Amino acid sequence: MKSIQLVGTDLNENFLIIAKELKGELSSNGGCSYATFSNEYCKGQITGVKVSDEISALIFDVVFNVEIEFEYSNQAKEFIDVFYCLEGSFKHKTDSDREFESINFRQNSLVKRLKSSQNTISFVPHKSLKMSFISYSILDTSKSRIKGYYNLREMASNSLETIETSEDFRYLGRICFRTSNYVQQLMPFMLDKASDILFKEAAILNTLASQLDRYENDSNSKHANAPIKQYELDKIIAIGVFVQQNLSENLTINNLVRMSGLGPSKLQMGFNYLYDTSVNNYITEKRLEKAAELLRTNEMNISEIVYQIGFNSRSYFSKIFKRRYGISPSDALTKSLSS
């Protein structure tokens, strides 16, 4: 196991520490830096983005070859950290915890760090990890209170101050499907144009906002609005994972009903509750995400991709792909081949 000591307040300093300790090749472009790795510690890329003085992000697209721990402490400010695993999972622990708590695949997760607290993140080796880790430094809005006005960031900080202020706090919530679209937009490192920079910032803010929105809704409802029981929700999560791993299969409602042991209505209610969408829309979204990935890697032609992701009609696939991404599959493939 390799343990890396980090500070809790300076993204740029932390990023340099991570790159050095894991022997990465570092590149920097103002407020955004990235390090690439291909060694005994890990393979892939970690990106660091500073949106503002109070918002920063680390974006992981790596496979760790050994168990890695980040130990970081906060010496001056309070932070809200939000985590989201697009792929894989990791474990988190505060200095007051006896054991690590798992933060799972696509689970909405939020941590509040008080001043001088210590947190540890542990990464599992030999598993693909695509994860966003966004830190929001809570502003001191006392001066604005005296003046009687706030800007938008100050208004948000004023609201966040109410989150469990007496101690370190960790919220592990539901699977959050909407957030996955925003985190997917964070993965590529593209900052060649002004629009790239603004899209990157927007994706970070949308990720942060969608996770805080889910937390606030869950906190207000205390899960009282869950339409089915917890063990039934666990079955829905298992079905969601099965869908992603078996996109070429005949994923009809009837087949999923037989697999889960849930009735059609409970299956639909569970997907709407966990993923904010219907079963069929979830399947279509996962198939389109996989298609976009295969087009980027240039490993298959379009007919092969259509078969691989379980569509029967190439024309229908092209229609909904363009509706989703604003570009036809053939144009996407041509662009990928020329890059």
Side-chain angles (χ1 to χ4, degrees), residues 74-303:
N74 176 27
Q75 299 179 354
K77 298 179 180 180
E78 293 185 356
F79 283 83
I80 299 294
D81 297 330
V82 293
F83 302 97
Y84 190 86
C85 293
L86 194 65
E87 291 183 12
S89 62
F90 68 100
K91 295 182 289 185
H92 178 271
K93 184 168 77 73
T94 69
D95 48 9
S96 60
D97 291 328
R98 292 184 178 181
E99 298 179 351
F100 281 96
E101 188 83 38
S102 292
I103 295 180
N104 298 313
F105 170 77
R106 304 208 178 190
Q107 182 178 31
N108 194 38
S109 307
L110 180 150
V111 172
K112 182 170 183 177
R113 286 186 279 135
L114 298 181
K115 295 179 181 180
S116 301
S117 66
Q118 181 172 313
N119 288 247
T120 303
I121 297 175
S122 178
F123 299 102
V124 180
H126 312 304
K127 299 288 186 180
S128 177
L129 178 70
K130 293 186 177 182
M131 181 186 89
S132 63
F133 169 14
I134 303 174
S135 288
Y136 194 131
S137 172
I138 299 178
L139 297 171
D140 180 3
T141 58
S142 58
K143 293 181 180 179
S144 295
R145 291 192 188 101
I146 294 172
K147 294 178 182 179
Y149 67 88
Y150 303 99
N151 62 38
L152 289 178
R153 294 276 170 84
E154 288 171 335
M155 290 174 65
S157 281
N158 188 36
S159 176
L160 290 174
E161 286 179 349
T162 63
I163 297 177
E164 299 291 335
T165 56
S166 61
E167 58 185 11
D168 286 337
F169 170 71
R170 180 173 53 233
Y171 153 80
L172 302 180
R174 294 182 283 159
I175 301 296
C176 191
F177 178 73
R178 181 176 59 165
T179 301
S180 66
N181 293 326
Y182 301 133
V183 177
Q184 188 73 49
Q185 296 166 20
L186 293 177
M187 290 296 125
F189 184 85
M190 294 185 298
L191 290 176
D192 298 328
K193 302 176 293 185
S195 57
D196 293 336
I197 297 170
L198 293 174
F199 279 129
K200 180 73 73 173
E201 178 181 5
I204 291 172
L205 293 177
N206 279 327
T207 299
L208 177 63
S210 68
Q211 292 190 256
L212 290 174
D213 177 62
R214 177 56 64 91
Y215 163 75
E216 289 165 352
N217 289 339
D218 285 352
S219 297
N220 292 332
S221 69
K222 302 300 181 183
H223 298 286
N225 63 336
I228 58 179
K229 297 177 180 179
Q230 182 61 54
Y231 76 90
E232 293 171 327
L233 290 175
D234 292 339
K235 290 184 177 182
I236 299 295
I237 293 172
I239 289 295
V241 173
F242 175 84
V243 166
Q244 294 186 68
Q245 295 175 348
N246 298 274
L247 293 172
S248 63
E249 298 294 323
N250 185 22
L251 300 173
T252 65
I253 298 293
N254 288 338
N255 286 341
L256 297 181
V257 163
R258 283 193 293 270
M259 287 181 55
S260 65
L262 300 173
S265 61
K266 283 194 173 182
L267 191 70
Q268 292 289 5
M269 285 190 293
F271 268 79
N272 282 321
Y273 179 73
L274 287 174
Y275 305 118
D276 295 327
T277 191
S278 68
V279 177
N280 286 332
N281 285 344
Y282 178 88
I283 295 170
T284 299
E285 185 68 24
K286 296 301 108 185
R287 283 173 165 163
L288 291 176
E289 287 179 6
K290 184 63 177 180
E293 177 186 335
L294 293 173
L295 287 167
R296 285 195 300 269
T297 58
N298 310 326
E299 295 179 354
M300 298 179 179
N301 61 41
I302 294 176
S303 295

